[in-house]
Amino acid sequence: MAAFGSVIMPEMAISWFDGSKWSETEIVPSDNLKLHPGAHVLHYSSTCFEGLKAFRHDDGSIKIFRMDRNIERLAQSTHLLALPEFDHESLARMIRDIVARFADDVPAPPGSLYIRPTHIGTEPVIGKAAVPSLTSCLYVLVSPVGDYFAGGDKALRLLIDDEGMRCPPHMGMVKSGGNYASALRPIMKARAEYQVDQVLFCPGGDVQETGAANFLLIDGNEIITKALDESFLHGITRDSLLTLARDRGMKVSERNISVDELLERIAKPGCEAALSGTAAVLTPVGTMIYKGQEYSVGDGTIGETTVKLRQALNDIQWGRSEDTHGWLTGL
Ligand SMILES: *Cc1c(COP(=O)(O)O)cnc(C)c1O
């Protein structure tokens, strides 16, 4: 199967801001984008993006999951990067239009159509290192994706890093390209030295998140995860899973958790750890490595609450249980 995100449909929805107004949205070929080499984004990283999914239901209809929340988060990233504001309803229409254009290509569950709205600063002035771009471009790519778990439910290995950080603390809640570039070297180093899948960034001993997913600790009937602050990305999957956990009578504790407390809890039987995000939904963590020592989470395999919560979320996304929170939007 093709790697996640490597198949991009041949057209995209696009709109340009010229400094005073947004252009009419167009559907154009997605194999190139005309940009001045001096464009603000290419020098000063004025870029943000979103990731959401559209699902094919058994009755043939196509539904987009929590689109409003993703649009709000892109607007927030846009604001924090001082990019030009966009109209939320216009972006909603762009997303619906491009998904409708490729409705026939939306895979059936467990596949889906991954949607990638992107907003970049286009002003061709290389002297604007400390000045926002007055012009910008908003576009939406779509990519059919298969079952993330096609290789089975292998639990991940994580390195606990309490020295480095993923990105500057004031940028954590911005879904912006530079943050991922910033985390690459630490992740590559951890993979080479410890054969891990991901790094769990825990600056100063405070458990935060991995390079592109939030971290949840499940201890019996309680879920513990870091409370929202500006230092990390506010995942919509995280929010959805916590909501479903509360619906099921679980205790949800949004608070800081230290590396020491984490290691103490995961040693107990029945404790589970998992990563949450749009791509992987909820992925089990089986092993953590800290200061060269390996720690198993529970018995090192996927836990039953992880399976249950992921299934509950998938059932809503796939139209197989009632959408009680109004998370799905039609085209
Ligand atoms: C996108 C992302 C997440 C997960 O967010 P979702 O809305 O659940 O997809 C978590 N952490 C980082 C750093 C991310 O970029």
Side-chain angles (χ1 to χ4, degrees):
M1 192 188 69
F4 186 94
S6 63
V7 176
I8 295 175
M9 297 316 283
E11 291 177 297
M12 61 181 169
I14 194 165
S15 178
W16 300 82
F17 187 71
D18 68 4
S20 58
K21 60 181 187 316
W22 284 93
S23 68
E24 284 293 318
T25 299
E26 287 181 281
I27 302 288
V28 300
S30 64
D31 61 343
N32 72 80
L33 180 69
K34 192 157 181 281
L35 214 53
H36 193 288
H40 198 271
V41 58
L42 301 177
H43 299 259
Y44 306 122
S45 287
S46 47
T47 172
C48 51
F49 67 93
E50 272 308 320
L52 64 163
K53 282 176 171 173
F55 298 90
R56 174 178 302 284
H57 285 191
D58 293 334
D59 65 3
S61 64
I62 307 293
K63 303 283 194 233
I64 306 173
F65 185 71
R66 304 202 75 175
M67 177 172 71
D68 295 356
R69 286 294 292 265
N70 282 273
I71 291 174
E72 279 169 25
R73 194 170 64 187
L74 190 69
Q76 177 178 270
S77 295
T78 288
H79 176 73
L80 293 170
L81 291 166
L83 276 162
E85 280 179 19
F86 59 84
D87 177 55
H88 292 210
E89 196 37 54
S90 303
L91 176 57
R93 210 172 318 114
M94 287 171 77
I95 292 171
R96 278 197 224 99
D97 284 354
I98 198 66
V99 173
R101 170 77 185 78
F102 293 107
D104 291 347
D105 300 286
V106 178
S112 60
L113 189 72
Y114 183 78
I115 307 167
R116 173 52 65 89
T118 309
H119 190 195
I120 56 174
T122 54
E123 196 179 1
V125 181
I126 56 178
K128 285 202 156 185
V131 185
S133 176
L134 292 179
T135 62
S136 71
C137 175
L138 184 60
Y139 59 89
V140 184
L141 300 173
V142 290
S143 167
V145 295
D147 183 6
Y148 203 85
F149 300 99
D153 255 328
K154 201 175 74 64
L156 301 179
R157 278 168 71 84
L158 297 191
L159 177 71
I160 293 177
D161 178 349
D162 62 357
E163 287 166 359
M165 45 176 83
R166 185 177 83 88
C167 64
H170 72 289
M171 289 296 287
M173 67 190 285
V174 190
K175 209 166 172 78
S176 182
N179 288 347
Y180 304 84
S182 154
L184 269 183
R185 280 287 167 193
I187 295 171
M188 287 168 66
K189 185 163 178 278
R191 284 183 177 144
E193 285 179 16
Y194 298 101
Q195 293 74 53
V196 292
D197 300 290
Q198 294 290 340
V199 173
L200 180 60
F201 291 97
C202 307
D206 171 42
V207 177
Q208 206 176 51
E209 64 170 332
T210 64
N214 295 128
F215 179 80
L216 306 181
L217 184 67
I218 303 168
D219 191 351
N221 196 43
E222 182 179 15
I223 298 191
I224 307 170
T225 192
K226 186 170 170 62
L228 300 180
D229 65 20
E230 64 178 15
S231 73
F232 77 109
L233 209 283
H234 302 178
I236 294 163
T237 313
R238 169 191 180 281
D239 179 79
S240 307
L241 291 164
L242 296 187
T243 301
L244 294 176
R246 284 190 194 98
D247 288 351
R248 277 156 186 72
M250 289 184 72
K251 179 177 176 199
V252 173
S253 302
E254 295 184 73
R255 63 165 170 86
N256 284 352
I257 173 162
S258 67
V259 171
D260 290 343
E261 182 183 351
L262 175 66
L263 294 177
E264 199 176 297
R265 282 187 185 260
I266 61 172
K268 296 193 296 183
C271 194
E272 304 172 30
L275 302 183
S276 80
T278 294
V281 188
L282 191 61
T283 309
V285 174
T287 309
M288 303 210 206
I289 298 166
Y290 182 57
K291 295 198 192 299
Q293 199 181 324
E294 291 206 11
Y295 299 81
S296 181
V297 184
D299 66 0
T301 64
I302 187 166
E304 58 179 297
T305 305
T306 301
V307 173
K308 233 183 342 196
L309 286 174
R310 185 171 75 199
Q311 193 61 50
L313 183 58
N314 276 335
D315 283 346
I316 292 176
Q317 293 175 324
W318 298 346
R320 292 173 187 173
S321 68
E322 204 191 331
D323 177 22
T324 49
H325 297 282
W327 286 340
L328 299 174
T329 315
L331 305 183

